[in-house]
Amino acid sequence: MLLFLSVPQPRPPGAGTRAGAARVARWRRRRLRLQQLRRLRGLLRGLRRRPGTGSRRRGRMALCGQAAGAASLPSELIVHIFSFLSASDRLRASASCSHWRECLFYPALWPQLRICLRVSPAEQPRLEFLMRKCGWFVRELRVEFAAENYLSGGGGPGDGGSADTGTGGEEVEALQLSSRWLEVLRTYLELVLCVLVSIRNNRNLQKFSLFGDISVLQQQGSLSNTYLSKVDPDGKKIKQIQQLFEEILSNSRQLKWLSCGFMLEIVTPTSLSSLSNAIANTMEHLSLLDNNIPGNSTLITAVELERFVSLRSLALDFCDFTAEMARVLTDNNHVPLQRLSLLVHNVSVMHKSLDNMPNDEHWKALSRKSTNLRVYIMAFDIKSEDMLKILKPSIPLERIHFDSYITCVSGAIVDLISRQYDKFLTHFILMNDVIDTSGFPDLSDNRNEDPLVLLAWRCTKLSLLAIHGYTVWAHNLIAIARLRGSDLKVLQVTEESIDFDQGELADQDVDPVHNLIEQVSLGLGQPWHAVMDIESLSVFTEPNRHFYREMQSFSEDI
């Protein structure tokens, strides 16, 4: 006689009561999800075993089936898969089905967002979509605005047509205003508003960086207010942008990094007062760069700086960094400052005084406070006599970048830098775009030794040297490569800056250009060529953007 027994299926606790109905539903969903994960794990295990042709066909059929299809995967698993993909690959993968597309903008997948925007109307709908999806939760946001070819044709005044001598003054002015520039500024304001509106209530924001290259251009390095008055005559948009920026600062609860460089009137001298004391006390990086602030007004004062007791890196206009600020940073209640980036611009020097800058004793006190303090200086069109005042012996100068459109750096300044900062200097950039029919200036004129060769000899930590617009003799370039060897990681010299002695050119047996390339490559221990296309290097064509990005990496490298 056979006895058949039925084995009851396990049921979740509380299944027989009405109060446990919700618990039963959750238990069934978890069991179904577990079954799907087991099925997917089995399929992946089968694929790893490299089965035969028939098995591969069956595997493909199983993957395409409804039970184990891509659309039936749990959202948590799709997000986990997305976490291993780059941003572009995530976008491609999200096109597979609507379920995957819904998982694309899961907050865990976008902790940081770095956007580089051309100031073009075509960018606005894409920016609005991205900021609508990510603006409310992103933790690190870095946005760079740049007007495309803003210094080329159609971008300057006078491109709107030729003026008739018989027309009135207002008509002449209207003709001179570039319609392209007006459109660029109008679009720029809309894009900035889009970014600020989307993050105004984001309390998770920890790093916030803005860069706008369009605020520094044309005559004397500043943007004429005439353009802005045409685009925003009553100033409503600018006021709205400033209020949104202050609202973001006042709503922030986790902000550690605030950086704003060359943005068009977004930061005012009262903006930082919107930060609560709790946020100001925990801020680790502060960068406020804008050489268009009128008169003697500054974006931050020494009194305001006293609240930022946890600063590890700071970036300011040099004329705003006063002796009183240096004293504040040496107080016992402040953590040691480790990175200091300073922008010296001729516009600021013209309108502000250098009398309040720190003296050598202040720099000694800062260096004693923090033995790891390093300084990065960029100088735009600064006269040699002003640079002699700025370059105090006790500055722990690690990087210096000269960019000239009006004045040129003298050999005495280069020699001074090599003698005073031989223990710290790692980056030296020398850029000159002065139009001079007589040729590039020669730093070695009336000198026994070339200052650039002495720089390479004295500064034993030099790892980057970039030169354009100054005469570099071929034999001196070879000497620089041999002195620093493989420690000189980057040596960028434009072809038009290199010159040869008459003796080298007279030697018919040796090609001077080929010999230069060969000798420099041997000295550096790596292949080397002169820079043929200056447009390919941002350090030469976009000095503001280069400085801003270098300042960011310089400050992050603590």
Side-chain angles (χ1 to χ4, degrees):
M1 180 177 178
L2 298 177
L3 181 63
F4 295 92
L5 298 176
S6 62
V7 180
Q9 295 296 323
R11 300 176 66 190
T17 63
R18 298 182 62 181
R23 190 158 55 248
V24 171
R26 287 196 300 269
W27 181 83
R28 287 175 178 171
R29 284 197 300 269
R30 285 198 298 267
R31 187 175 63 177
L32 178 61
R33 190 171 300 169
L34 182 60
Q35 290 174 353
Q36 292 174 343
L37 288 174
R38 286 174 178 172
R39 190 179 295 112
L40 179 61
R41 190 181 297 114
L43 290 172
L44 295 176
R45 189 183 300 114
L47 292 175
R48 284 197 298 267
R49 291 174 180 172
R50 299 181 178 274
T53 306
S55 300
R56 284 198 298 269
R57 187 179 296 113
R58 288 192 299 271
R60 284 196 295 269
M61 292 173 63
L63 283 173
C64 294
Q66 184 177 2
S72 64
L73 294 178
S75 300
E76 291 82 356
L77 182 58
I78 298 174
V79 172
H80 185 65
I81 293 172
F82 279 167
S83 66
F84 294 98
L85 303 179
S86 63
S88 57
D89 289 338
R90 290 176 196 168
L91 294 174
R92 296 189 188 98
S94 66
S96 61
C97 63
S98 59
H99 182 42
W100 283 53
R101 194 155 48 249
E102 292 173 359
C103 300
L104 176 61
F105 290 102
Y106 194 79
L109 295 174
W110 304 93
Q112 61 181 12
L113 198 60
R114 299 187 179 185
I115 309 171
C116 185
L117 288 171
R118 291 181 299 105
V119 180
S120 167
E123 298 281 5
Q124 187 167 350
R126 288 177 286 199
L127 178 65
E128 290 177 350
F129 171 80
L130 190 60
M131 297 308 301
R132 185 173 65 253
K133 290 290 187 179
C134 302
W136 60 278
F137 63 76
V138 66
R139 294 181 179 274
E140 177 182 346
L141 179 62
R142 181 180 296 182
V143 185
E144 293 185 8
F145 301 93
E148 187 177 10
N149 298 327
Y150 60 80
L151 288 177
S152 60
D159 293 328
S162 59
D164 187 359
T165 55
T167 59
E170 293 181 357
E171 294 178 350
V172 172
E173 182 182 1
L175 287 173
Q176 290 179 342
L177 289 175
S178 168
S179 59
R180 181 182 177 189
W181 249 115
L182 292 175
E183 181 62 27
V184 164
L185 283 179
R186 190 176 294 109
T187 306
Y188 165 80
L189 295 178
E190 293 296 332
L191 294 178
V192 173
L193 280 172
C194 175
V195 172
L196 298 183
V197 167
S198 64
I199 64 172
R200 63 193 303 177
N201 296 318
N202 185 348
R203 301 199 173 194
N204 296 320
L205 195 63
Q206 297 178 3
K207 284 188 174 184
F208 185 34
S209 301
L210 289 175
F211 170 79
D213 201 19
I214 68 171
S215 67
V216 180
L217 72 154
Q218 301 195 27
Q219 294 87 359
Q220 304 299 324
S222 61
L223 179 64
S224 173
N225 290 329
T226 309
Y227 289 93
L228 190 57
S229 63
K230 293 290 182 180
V231 174
D232 188 25
D234 51 3
K236 287 184 178 180
K237 284 191 176 180
I238 288 295
K239 188 174 295 184
Q240 184 183 2
I241 288 174
Q242 293 172 352
Q243 290 175 350
L244 282 171
F245 185 75
E246 294 178 1
E247 185 178 350
I248 292 169
L249 296 186
S250 62
N251 290 336
S252 62
R253 295 296 180 269
Q254 303 181 42
L255 195 63
K256 303 289 184 183
W257 181 291
L258 178 61
S259 180
C260 190
F262 309 111
M263 295 295 293
L264 185 58
E265 298 188 23
I266 187 173
V267 186
T268 65
T270 61
S271 295
L272 290 181
S273 60
S274 303
L275 281 171
S276 64
N277 288 331
I279 296 300
N281 291 341
T282 57
M283 187 82 71
E284 296 180 357
H285 171 83
L286 181 63
S287 171
L288 299 174
L289 299 168
D290 189 353
N291 56 283
N292 289 303
I293 298 298
N296 294 322
S297 59
T298 61
L299 296 178
I300 184 172
T301 63
V303 175
E304 186 72 36
L305 189 62
E306 291 180 354
R307 297 199 300 156
F308 296 83
V309 295
S310 299
L311 277 185
R312 296 185 179 275
S313 58
L314 178 66
L316 293 175
D317 189 291
F318 183 85
C319 294
D320 294 345
F321 187 69
T322 62
E324 184 61 22
M325 282 190 177
R327 186 200 62 77
V328 169
L329 293 173
T330 57
D331 287 345
N332 293 329
N333 61 329
H334 278 255
V335 301
L337 189 70
Q338 299 190 33
R339 296 292 184 269
L340 178 60
S341 301
L342 298 171
L343 174 67
V344 194
H345 202 285
N346 67 325
V347 175
S348 297
V349 173
M350 283 191 299
H351 294 91
K352 301 177 183 179
S353 174
L354 292 175
D355 297 336
N356 297 324
M357 66 180 179
N359 57 32
D360 200 51
E361 293 300 321
H362 293 117
W363 285 110
K364 287 180 179 179
L366 274 174
S367 298
R368 286 194 299 267
K369 171 74 174 181
S370 175
T371 56
N372 295 323
L373 176 63
R374 296 295 179 267
V375 178
Y376 177 20
I377 293 179
M378 182 171 187
F380 278 99
D381 272 325
I382 303 301
K383 299 177 182 178
S384 295
E385 53 266 29
D386 290 329
M387 286 305 304
L388 291 174
K389 299 177 184 178
I390 292 171
L391 296 174
K392 303 300 183 184
S394 299
I395 299 178
L397 185 64
E398 183 178 285
R399 306 182 184 193
I400 189 163
H401 181 171
F402 290 99
D403 197 277
S404 304
Y405 292 89
I406 302 173
T407 60
C408 295
V409 177
S410 65
I413 295 297
V414 179
D415 186 63
L416 177 69
I417 291 171
S418 66
R419 285 187 285 105
Q420 290 188 167
Y421 313 116
D422 55 308
K423 295 180 180 179
F424 302 104
L425 194 69
T426 61
H427 291 57
F428 187 83
I429 299 175
L430 203 55
M431 165 71 182
N432 171 37
D433 204 19
V434 178
I435 300 176
D436 190 350
T437 57
S438 61
F440 291 149
D442 185 1
L443 298 177
S444 62
D445 274 352
N446 302 320
R447 290 179 174 272
N448 294 329
E449 297 291 343
D450 186 272
L452 294 173
V453 176
L454 292 176
L455 182 84
W457 175 55
R458 291 168 177 160
C459 301
T460 56
K461 294 184 178 180
L462 190 67
S463 60
L464 185 147
L465 179 62
I467 304 171
H468 166 68
Y470 292 86
T471 299
V472 182
W473 296 99
H475 61 273
N476 288 331
L477 192 57
I478 294 172
I480 291 171
R482 290 174 177 174
L483 282 169
R484 292 275 52 87
S486 59
D487 293 334
L488 188 59
K489 305 299 182 184
V490 179
L491 178 59
Q492 296 175 336
V493 184
T494 54
E495 183 191 30
E496 54 192 314
S497 301
I498 300 174
D499 205 349
F500 296 88
D501 291 331
Q502 292 299 323
E504 295 173 320
L505 297 175
D507 191 350
Q508 301 295 329
D509 298 331
V510 179
D511 181 1
V513 176
H514 182 271
N515 180 66
L516 172 66
I517 295 174
E518 181 181 9
Q519 293 300 320
V520 173
S521 299
L522 287 174
L524 296 177
Q526 60 179 338
W528 178 87
H529 291 277
V531 178
M532 307 294 289
D533 182 16
I534 189 175
E535 299 296 329
S536 63
L537 296 175
S538 63
V539 63
F540 296 135
T541 58
E542 298 179 286
N544 295 337
R545 184 182 299 274
H546 175 82
F547 170 69
Y548 186 77
R549 289 180 175 177
E550 285 294 303
M551 179 273 296
Q552 295 276 92
S553 61
F554 178 65
S555 300
E556 290 172 347
D557 186 24
I558 298 178

